[in-house]
Amino acid sequence: MSNLLNPDAIFSNNEMSLSDIEIYGFDYDYTLVFYSKHLHTLIFNAARDLLINEHRYPAEIRKYEYDPNFAIRGLHYDVQRAVLMKIDAFHYIQLGTVYRGLSVVPDEEVIEMYEGSHVPLEQMSDFYGKSSHGNTMKQFMDIFSLPEMTLLSCVNEYFLKNNIDYEPVHLYKDVKDSIRDVHIKGIMYRAIEADIEKYICYAEQTRAVLAKLADHGKKMFLITNSPSSFVDKGMSYIVGKDWRDLFDVVIVQAEKPNFFNDKRSPGNGEAVFQVSQRLQEEAANQEPCAGTEKCWGNLYEFLKLTGWRGSRVLYFGDHIYSDLADLTLKHGWRTGAIIPELRSELKIMNTEQYIQTMTWLQTLTGLLEQMQVHRDAESQLVLQEWKKERKEMREMTKSFFNAQFGSLFRTDQNPTYFLRRLSRFADIYMASLSCLLNYDVSHTFYPRRTPLQHELPAWSERPPTFRTPLLQEAQAE
């Protein structure tokens, strides 16, 4: 308990010095602005009503209400089998986290369904987490996807409980379209703008972060898929009416990730650029700018205007794929992931109950590894009891975070598929932008050197100082 984890810290996957960063970029939703719990209820209810009114789904599904404690981010959904599940970094399903509707699927059925618990690469979601080109899995990486997963599960539950035949693929598409329409038809935007205090969590630290960077001469830009008036009202509320003065470029309706990976032609619509007078003057020799607004379609035009390339740019976003993947892989920008769930998970990990449970779980694992050499019947009986207890404790550990799916970052012992992608596409990650206030603008982030498996001795070969006290006591007994 003497070395508690800091929920306000910034964690590093890749060494990075802020002294090298000249330009800071930001997403809007769940990066610069955070929303209250009421927003997901709004999205769920609006999409549910669209299913009933426009897709002719039974009115009885209106009895289902949004449960904020059902799903977590990063889950995979098998579109053809209509099951929601958690998958680890090695494409293995975490048994006990597979749900059809609102009910868990027994382990035996999962193993029979997938001929084991491994999901082959060709069935996994594509690069951006989508189910396309034969991929049967969809990964939900967006915070906005939490109501979508819950609605999918509720509608599946209704059909299953009432013995109604349905086509899972069509159900998935209808729910996806309804969730999309809540955004593109402006239902969500209008509701937030009409009652901004209800839906937006006022965060004075957002302005403090931007002001700190501006005071140190950093250039800043905003790239978001949200519309201009919506962003303006939100930023005016959390930062102030003069929020645009802090940014050199504001890009709305960007259609990420297409904005980042299409170098020549725009997507279905054109991103709207709002460029500061200061930057227009700097870019005059490269690209004449008429007025303060200009429409382009993609990152190529943005780079042509600004010349902002490579590792002197640091971009923050909450979506691992849409915000970060292309920027780090194709353009060499440094990336920072905003993971709001991090703060609550670290607080749980700091509790005495969690620490004691994990210590004993590690002890049991060590005992199983070391004592499995005893093959007599009595010893094997003890080993089976230990395995049973270990399984029970794993389930207990999972329920500390979420009763159905556990931690966002771990399966039983492996990293989740979500964490695998986070580790690949984010140089640093944190619970919120406010964490930047705890660091100097020239701070260097150093990732911890964690031992590789071959760099650690086996339990049986470790000297006493490397073993847990509980293991030594158990061995003595």
Side-chain angles (χ1 to χ4, degrees), residues 26-71:
F26 306 92
D27 180 32
Y28 176 68
D29 298 301
Y30 287 107
T31 299
L32 289 172
V33 63
F34 281 80
Y35 297 102
S36 70
K37 61 183 180 181
H38 301 294
L39 181 59
H40 286 175
T41 301
L42 165 72
I43 295 171
F44 178 93
N45 290 344
R48 180 198 60 198
D49 292 346
L50 285 172
L51 280 177
I52 295 170
N53 298 329
E54 297 192 7
H55 296 273
R56 298 188 176 184
Y57 274 64
E60 288 83 358
I61 67 172
R62 195 171 270 118
K63 70 180 181 180
Y64 291 100
E65 297 181 351
Y66 179 65
D67 179 4
N69 299 313
F70 176 68

Side-chain angles (χ1 to χ4, degrees), residues 359-360 363-364 366-367 370-371 386 459 464 467-477:
T359 302
W360 181 235
T363 298
L364 272 176
L367 283 168
Q370 186 170 355
M371 300 302 181
W386 286 347
W459 281 100
R467 302 176 194 167
T468 64
L470 289 173
L471 179 57
Q472 296 176 51
E473 293 170 14
Q475 289 171 328
E477 293 178 7

Side-chain angles (χ1 to χ4, degrees), residues 362-363 365-366 369-370 457-462 466-468 471:
Q362 287 293 88
T363 298
T365 303
E369 181 177 349
Q370 186 170 355
W459 281 100
S460 57
E461 298 168 348
R462 296 184 186 190
F466 280 87
R467 302 176 194 167
T468 64
L471 179 57

Side-chain angles (χ1 to χ4, degrees), residues 132-146:
S132 59
H133 308 296
N135 304 91
T136 60
M137 292 284 187
K138 153 74 177 177
Q139 188 181 19
F140 291 100
M141 296 292 273
D142 192 355
I143 299 176
F144 282 127
S145 67
L146 291 170

Side-chain angles (χ1 to χ4, degrees), residues 6 8-11 18 212 435-443 445:
N6 182 6
D8 295 315
I10 293 177
F11 304 93
L18 293 181
K212 177 181 177 179
C435 298
L436 281 170
L437 295 173
N438 301 321
Y439 299 86
D440 187 82
V441 291
S442 60
H443 184 88
F445 295 100

Side-chain angles (χ1 to χ4, degrees), residues 125-137:
S125 52
D126 67 10
F127 181 80
Y128 295 105
K130 298 178 180 179
S131 59
S132 59
H133 308 296
N135 304 91
T136 60
M137 292 284 187

